[in-house]
Amino acid sequence: MAMTARQRAKISLNVQAGIFVVAIAALLLATDWKAISANVFNFGKIGPMFPGIFTTGLVNTLIYTALGFALGLSGGLLLALMKLSSFPLYRWIATGYIEFFRGIPALLVFIAFGYGVPLAFGVQWPIFVVVMVSLGMVAAAYIAETLRAGLQAVPKGQLEAARSLGMPQWRAMVTIIIPQAFKIVLPPLTNEIILLTKDSSLIYVLGLTASQYELTKFGRDGISSLGAGLTPLLVAGAFYLVVTIPLSLLARKFESRSARTKR
Amino acid sequence: MNDVETTKPGGAQTVHAAGVSIKDLRKSYGSNEVLKGISLEVKPGEVVCLIGPSGSGKSTLLRCVNLLEQPNQGAIHVGGFEATDPDVDIDKMRRKVGMVFQQFNLFPHLDVLRNCTVAQTKVLKRSQAEADKIAQANLDRVGLGHLAKRFPDQLSGGQQQRVAIARALSMNPELMLFDEPTSALDPETVGDVLAVMRKLAREGMTMLVVTHEMAFAREVADRVVFMDGGVVVEEGVAERVIGAPQQPRTQEFLRRVLDPTHIEVAED
């Protein structure tokens, strides 16, 4: 039996849709709906989470993320410039730092700064300092690579033009090159903020007082106190999406804008 | 090399002019020697055009003058500066030397006016108001005063190149370097850029111009230098080098450039 290419494609699509429907149906049938509704979708008991999840959880998540990003951005810029330096020592330091902090889990960094620093130096940093340093140092490694790519994407002629006008190297970088590099990396930089927002949940390994809880810790606390199973964590997850999805849309907007203005 | 003030007929403005003196300049990239001992003088107020086939080293030579390329050997004097002195204050020297690039290299994140003021305020420490005034005057000078608030990507190539000239002029340079300023332009905008350059030349600006525009070189240049293979093959008064070249290589090059459709027919 001879079939046209279009007929074959149509049959293939129908088969794929069929498999999908069967898989969903199997999943729904195998699910223990009673247990799920008591432990995951038990929205009747989560009243006490409000308004604390806004005023404490969400606010702290945003503060921790902003602190980490501030340090990550400045550290990342410094590392990116070091990595592009003509002085080999700077390049080695930057490369070593970036490889190290990209290579180890962020959780270990939190433990190191939360528990290691007090043990080693006998000082207990305030929690927001621990968070800022841990998140910021990890973020700096990732942001450095992003910014390095951005700095290298600025055409060579820009630096030549700036230098030809009598600008010293640092002035040309500050006034001409770095602003253009930032414009180029705005989309990936927004993605870094999304990653940071999620990484701020790792703070749960530190001993926090209730007013320091961020979303994840707030949700975990709800699990043990509300008797609604995992439902509080589901709510916390929803709050993350409230932050990350708009950021993601923003990144896409930056992307389409830079695609439009590209000459 | 002394700075002199020159006023040429037709130009109302007095320009401080600096000359260039190049002696036995050599430059290599690895084992590839692109400048094989070039000597060249540009007197204050003089317009010199560098012509020659691509790869002849003329752009490299031009870029050595403001140290965008580091020469390997030889001496370059620009105004009162010895560019080849390892202790020269490069930034101070470059303030005196305007550079116009083939690809314009305007700053895309700044509007036209800011393109012309950023170095004035950051390098020369002029006030924003003073810098604005000077920039606006130079934009008017290149005929684009009305586009001060536009961004570079809203301009045609020819307009961008004229802004680039205004940007360089806003630093009050004593010497202007042009690196194939019309090579990246649509044919219909070449004339506007050349007109601005012609005007500058009449006003007494010292200019060193790498160009393929033979008609322009012939009309505007005081002298023309023909380079090939990293050496100066022939130089002299524009009319003579372009109109009646003596060297066979110059003759060959000009025949190709002036009549690109010309086909050599082997003689029996």
Side-chain angles (χ1 to χ4, degrees):
Chain A
M1 184 181 67
M3 276 191 298
T4 65
R6 188 179 296 182
Q7 280 172 322
R8 273 199 304 272
K10 200 172 171 190
I11 288 172
S12 162
L13 260 180
N14 286 335
V15 169
Q16 289 173 43
I19 292 172
F20 184 71
V21 168
V22 169
I24 294 283
L27 213 62
L28 290 176
L29 288 172
T31 306
D32 181 346
W33 286 106
K34 253 180 129 164
I36 280 277
S37 63
N39 293 316
V40 181
F41 298 114
N42 196 347
F43 295 112
K45 288 191 179 172
I46 59 159
M49 290 182 78
F50 294 89
I53 193 158
F54 271 110
T55 54
T56 306
L58 182 62
V59 166
N60 279 336
T61 288
L62 293 177
I63 289 175
Y64 296 151
T65 305
L67 286 173
F69 185 66
L71 183 68
L73 191 61
S74 27
L77 181 58
L78 186 70
L79 286 166
L81 292 173
M82 282 170 77
K83 193 142 190 201
L84 295 175
S85 162
S86 53
F87 191 44
L89 182 65
Y90 285 157
R91 289 203 302 271
W92 296 334
I93 293 174
T95 305
Y97 180 98
I98 291 167
E99 293 307 326
F100 182 79
F101 279 96
R102 286 204 309 181
I104 58 170
L107 188 61
L108 291 192
V109 179
F110 270 87
I111 293 171
F113 285 106
Y115 298 109
V117 167
L119 282 177
F121 302 103
V123 287
Q124 181 65 62
W125 287 341
I127 201 76
F128 71 89
V129 175
V130 176
V131 177
M132 180 171 180
V133 172
S134 312
L135 270 184
M137 289 187 78
V138 174
Y142 287 95
I143 291 175
E145 283 295 274
T146 305
L147 285 178
R148 181 192 55 75
L151 288 168
Q152 285 180 317
V154 177
K156 202 172 106 245
Q158 291 292 309
L159 185 62
E160 290 185 347
R163 296 302 308 269
S164 295
L165 288 164
M167 291 189 195
Q169 176 81 14
W170 68 269
R171 167 55 73 192
M173 291 305 287
V174 169
T175 312
I176 305 300
I177 308 299
I178 292 175
Q180 292 185 53
F182 265 107
K183 223 171 183 173
I184 293 170
V185 301
L186 221 44
L189 216 50
T190 314
N191 287 325
E192 298 289 347
I193 302 181
I194 294 175
L195 293 176
L196 266 183
T197 310
K198 296 185 294 176
D199 276 355
S200 70
S201 67
L202 295 173
I203 193 180
Y204 78 89
V205 295
L206 307 175
L208 298 178
T209 64
S211 66
Q212 294 165 341
Y213 286 2
E214 41 67 65
L215 284 172
T216 301
K217 185 76 180 169
F218 202 92
R220 287 165 63 95
D221 188 56
I223 293 176
S224 51
S225 63
L226 296 178
L230 297 172
T231 312
L233 223 46
L234 192 73
V235 176
F239 273 87
Y240 279 108
L241 292 178
V242 166
V243 178
T244 54
I245 288 176
L247 280 174
S248 185
L249 292 175
L250 194 67
R252 206 171 309 163
K253 205 175 143 195
F254 287 144
E255 230 157 64
S256 63
R257 201 176 60 183
S258 72
R260 221 179 27 246
T261 56
K262 197 146 283 174
R263 276 175 296 162
Chain B
M1 182 78 27
N2 296 318
D3 291 5
V4 295
E5 292 197 357
T6 46
T7 311
K8 284 190 180 178
Q13 301 183 32
T14 303
V15 184
H16 289 275
V20 182
S21 160
I22 300 169
K23 287 211 176 63
D24 195 32
L25 191 74
R26 287 171 187 275
K27 168 75 184 171
S28 310
Y29 296 107
S31 60
N32 179 24
E33 191 170 41
V34 281
L35 298 179
K36 300 171 180 167
I38 303 267
S39 295
L40 180 68
E41 293 276 335
V42 183
K43 294 189 208 71
E46 198 177 27
V47 177
V48 173
C49 282
L50 291 172
I51 62 171
S54 48
S56 58
K58 50 198 195 309
S59 281
T60 307
L61 174 65
L62 191 80
R63 290 163 59 85
C64 279
V65 172
N66 72 348
L67 295 179
L68 285 178
E69 302 289 345
Q70 200 66 45
N72 297 111
Q73 239 186 73
I76 304 174
H77 284 81
V78 179
F81 293 89
E82 184 181 350
T84 36
D85 177 354
D87 295 327
V88 71
D89 186 339
I90 295 183
D91 299 323
K92 213 168 160 190
M93 187 191 91
R94 284 174 173 156
R95 289 179 208 170
K96 309 273 182 198
V97 182
M99 176 94 178
V100 175
F101 299 86
Q102 184 178 351
Q103 298 295 339
F104 333 134
N105 295 344
L106 291 182
F107 306 132
H109 62 305
L110 303 175
D111 68 23
V112 164
L113 191 69
R114 284 284 170 280
N115 262 279
C116 298
T117 62
V118 63
Q120 291 190 64
T121 55
K122 304 293 185 195
V123 176
L124 301 180
K125 307 293 176 199
R126 287 176 183 157
S127 71
Q128 189 64 53
E130 189 192 0
D132 283 349
K133 219 175 97 188
I134 292 168
Q136 191 62 53
N138 282 307
L139 286 170
D140 290 338
R141 201 167 159 193
V142 301
L144 296 176
H146 58 294
L147 299 180
K149 286 294 160 201
R150 298 274 188 94
F151 278 83
D153 62 2
Q154 299 169 306
L155 306 182
S156 73
Q159 290 171 331
Q160 289 192 51
Q161 193 60 297
R162 282 145 74 196
V163 171
I165 294 173
R167 175 175 71 176
L169 290 176
S170 295
M171 300 294 284
N172 302 105
E174 298 175 7
L175 163 70
M176 287 284 285
L177 305 175
F178 293 85
D179 188 4
E180 300 197 25
T182 57
S183 297
L185 297 179
D186 293 333
E188 72 263 33
T189 64
V190 168
D192 297 334
V193 172
L194 292 179
V196 168
M197 291 170 64
R198 195 177 290 121
K199 194 166 123 192
L200 268 184
R202 280 206 213 98
E203 289 168 6
M205 177 63 76
T206 316
M207 293 163 61
L208 187 53
V209 185
V210 173
T211 187
H212 291 293
E213 299 288 338
M214 293 306 141
F216 173 82
R218 191 170 187 164
E219 178 204 331
V220 178
D222 297 304
R223 273 188 307 128
V224 168
V225 176
F226 173 71
M227 283 177 68
D228 191 13
V231 296
V232 172
V233 174
E234 184 165 0
E235 69 168 295
V237 178
E239 194 58 41
R240 193 187 58 69
V241 175
I242 295 176
Q246 302 300 302
Q247 298 293 327
R249 268 196 285 175
T250 320
Q251 292 167 356
E252 168 69 16
F253 171 76
L254 286 168
R255 197 158 54 232
R256 285 171 191 276
V257 173
L258 297 176
D259 182 10
T261 57
H262 176 84
I263 297 164
E264 297 278 314
V265 180
E267 288 175 32
D268 298 66

